[in-house]
């Protein structure tokens, strides 16, 4: 059996380091807002080349609280429009609507699955105040072009970098392009905790100061509350675990790239469309997603061959019951992608022999 992602194997390699990190926290007697969090925030900010990293409870909170902070600072107003790719995971939309902002869904570029510069340009109205590019599947969005648009129209840019840890273009990493970026450290992410965790990166001092209050009941000082905040804190255990894993992230990314290159070189079934790579460092291959009009048959045959696959994502956000107000939208590119996408095993503990086996099984599929 080739699992989609063998987290047990991934974490087993780091077992001693992870246990040492947990023991360090347990023995410290300090479990919230201590030295491990401060150290991780400093280290991850340095990794992304930003001034600040603000640890929070999860990736959704990272996006939600950033938008909330911009509301508190007067940079956004309720009802403002936020442009977002229509084929993103629903969390991106949830962050927008939680803040009483209006999501404007646009079709993605068919080659990269990411925001299309042309589609964003066409969607801008006088009510547009922000763009959320999503580095979907681990590929950096068209950030230079999108930043030019944002500058021209005075728009805020919030990167949804939940899948983009370490992706870069011209030496500039995800998390250091927009005014801020939200990261998820969900266990299955390229940089994954052993539970829920997230962070925001930014070089905006005022935004960072506001976020540090919002994540902690709206308070910088105990019992003095500046805002109606929330409890969304990255705890010491998860911060310590992430410090360990951050040291191995680039090495694991290189293995993901080797697996991806193997797939790209070997898969040649005419009914399967491979993803584009783009710039070498632009893609960190959180997911390796192919397209097939015969997705169900392909998935079933791979399952019978002992190969686990997943679908990211089967239902587009505008077709979800959670958003009936978006159900009228006609987004044929997005809907086709959701009907055809299939994620192959992608795991830094995979061997190239396993990748060969997956490719061979695809090539032998009867579609």
């Amino acid at each position: 059996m080739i699992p989609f992602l063998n987290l047990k194997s991934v974490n087993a390699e780091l077992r001693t380091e992870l246990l040492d990190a947990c023991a360090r926290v347990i023995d410290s007697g300090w479990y919230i807002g201590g030295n491990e969090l401060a150290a991780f925030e400093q280290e991850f900010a340095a990794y992304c080349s930003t001034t600040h990293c603000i640890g929070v409870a999860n990736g959704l909170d990272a996006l939600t609280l950033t938008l909330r902070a911009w509301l508190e600072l007067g940079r956004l107003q309720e009802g403002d429009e936020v442009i977002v790719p229509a084929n993103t995971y629903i969390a991106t939309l949830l962050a927008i609507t939680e803040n009483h902002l209006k999501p404007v869904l646009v079709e993605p570029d068919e080659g990269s699955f990411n925001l299309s510069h042309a589609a964003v340009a066409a969607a801008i109205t006088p009510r547009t105040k922000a763009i959320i590019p999503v580095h979907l599947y681990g590929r950096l969005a068209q950030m230079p072009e999108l930043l030019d648009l944002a500058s021209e129209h005075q728009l805020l840019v919030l990167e949804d970098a939940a899948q983009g840890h370490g992706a870069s273009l011209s030496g500039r990493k995800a998390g250091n392009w927009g005014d801020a970026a939200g990261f998820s450290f969900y266990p299955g992410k390229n940089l994954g905790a052993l539970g829920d965790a997230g962070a925001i990166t930014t070089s905006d001092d005022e935004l960072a100061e506001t976020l540090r209050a919002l994540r902690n009941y709206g308070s910088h000082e105990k019992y003095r509350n500046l805002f109606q905040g929330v409890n969304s804190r990255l705890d010491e255990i998860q911060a310590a675990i992430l410090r360990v894993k951050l040291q191995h992230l680039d090495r694991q990314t290189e293995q993901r790239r080797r697996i991806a290159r193997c797939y790209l070189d070997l898969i040649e079934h005419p009914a399967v469309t491979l993803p584009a790579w783009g710039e070498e460092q632009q893609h960190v291959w959180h997911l390796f997603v192919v397209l097939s009009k015969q997705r169900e048959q392909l998935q079933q045959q791979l399952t019978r061959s002992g190969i686990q696959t997943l679908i990211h994502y089967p239902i587009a956000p505008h077709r979800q019951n959670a958003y009936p107000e978006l159900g009228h939208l006609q987004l044929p590119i997005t809907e086709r992608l959701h009907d055809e996408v299939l994620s192959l095993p992608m795991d830094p503990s995979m061997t190239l022999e396993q990748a060969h086996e997956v490719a061979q099984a695809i090539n032998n599929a009867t579609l």
Side-chain angles (χ1 to χ4, degrees), residues 132-154:
I132 302 184
V134 179
H135 305 316
L136 195 65
Y137 306 148
R139 179 170 177 168
L140 198 73
Q142 299 174 1
M143 295 309 298
E145 296 86 349
L146 292 172
L147 289 182
D148 286 345
L149 267 182
S151 177
E152 179 183 351
H153 295 277
Q154 296 183 306

Side-chain angles (χ1 to χ4, degrees), residues 255-263 345-346 350-352 355:
Q255 180 62 7
R256 288 177 179 272
R257 288 180 173 139
R258 284 189 284 270
I259 298 295
R261 177 52 61 194
C262 185
Y263 284 157
M346 176 52 72
M350 275 182 73
T351 65
L352 293 182

Side-chain angles (χ1 to χ4, degrees), residues 56-278:
V56 294
N58 54 68
L60 174 57
D61 282 1
L63 298 176
T64 303
L65 289 175
T66 302
L67 294 172
R68 168 74 185 282
W70 282 334
L71 286 164
E72 294 287 358
L73 292 169
R75 302 181 196 178
L76 290 176
Q77 304 294 327
E78 289 189 6
D80 284 347
E81 294 178 355
V82 181
I83 294 176
V84 65
N87 62 317
T88 187
Y89 182 56
I90 198 170
T92 318
L93 271 71
L94 292 172
I96 297 168
T97 55
E98 174 68 18
N99 284 290
H100 306 288
L101 301 165
K102 181 181 178 181
V104 176
L105 278 62
V106 301
E107 294 273 53
D109 172 74
E110 292 188 74
S112 68
F113 304 130
N114 280 334
L115 264 185
S116 160
H117 168 269
V120 172
I124 293 172
T125 75
R127 294 292 297 169
T128 305
K129 300 301 177 183
I131 306 172
I132 302 184
V134 179
H135 305 316
L136 195 65
Y137 306 148
R139 179 170 177 168
L140 198 73
Q142 299 174 1
M143 295 309 298
E145 296 86 349
L146 292 172
L147 289 182
D148 286 345
L149 267 182
S151 177
E152 179 183 351
H153 295 277
Q154 296 183 306
L155 306 177
L156 294 164
V157 176
L158 171 57
E159 296 171 70
D160 183 339
Q163 301 180 4
H165 317 76
S168 67
L169 185 63
S170 301
R172 189 172 174 182
K173 283 192 173 72
N176 187 28
W177 287 87
D179 298 284
F183 285 87
S184 168
F185 304 124
Y186 181 77
K189 294 297 195 289
N190 291 28
L191 179 60
L194 298 186
D196 273 321
I200 301 140
T201 56
T202 184
S203 292
D204 182 329
D205 296 343
E206 186 180 32
L207 175 62
E209 189 74 2
T210 304
L211 285 164
R212 289 193 177 100
L214 285 173
R215 72 174 176 183
N216 185 44
Y217 301 100
S219 172
H220 290 300
E221 182 182 349
K222 197 169 186 178
Y223 304 129
R224 295 183 181 273
N225 303 81
L226 300 173
F227 310 104
Q228 296 177 24
V230 300
N231 178 6
S232 180
R233 298 176 297 203
L234 175 59
D235 66 62
E236 286 287 280
I237 285 279
Q238 298 302 343
I241 287 165
L242 288 167
R243 291 185 68 198
V244 170
K245 291 196 164 191
L246 182 58
Q247 298 174 46
H248 300 273
L249 176 58
D250 289 344
R251 174 181 58 80
Q252 292 179 341
T253 296
E254 286 309 310
Q255 180 62 7
R256 288 177 179 272
R257 288 180 173 139
R258 284 189 284 270
I259 298 295
R261 177 52 61 194
C262 185
Y263 284 157
L264 291 169
D265 289 345
L266 296 179
I267 295 173
E268 51 188 21
H269 198 294
V272 175
T273 301
L274 296 169
W277 186 299

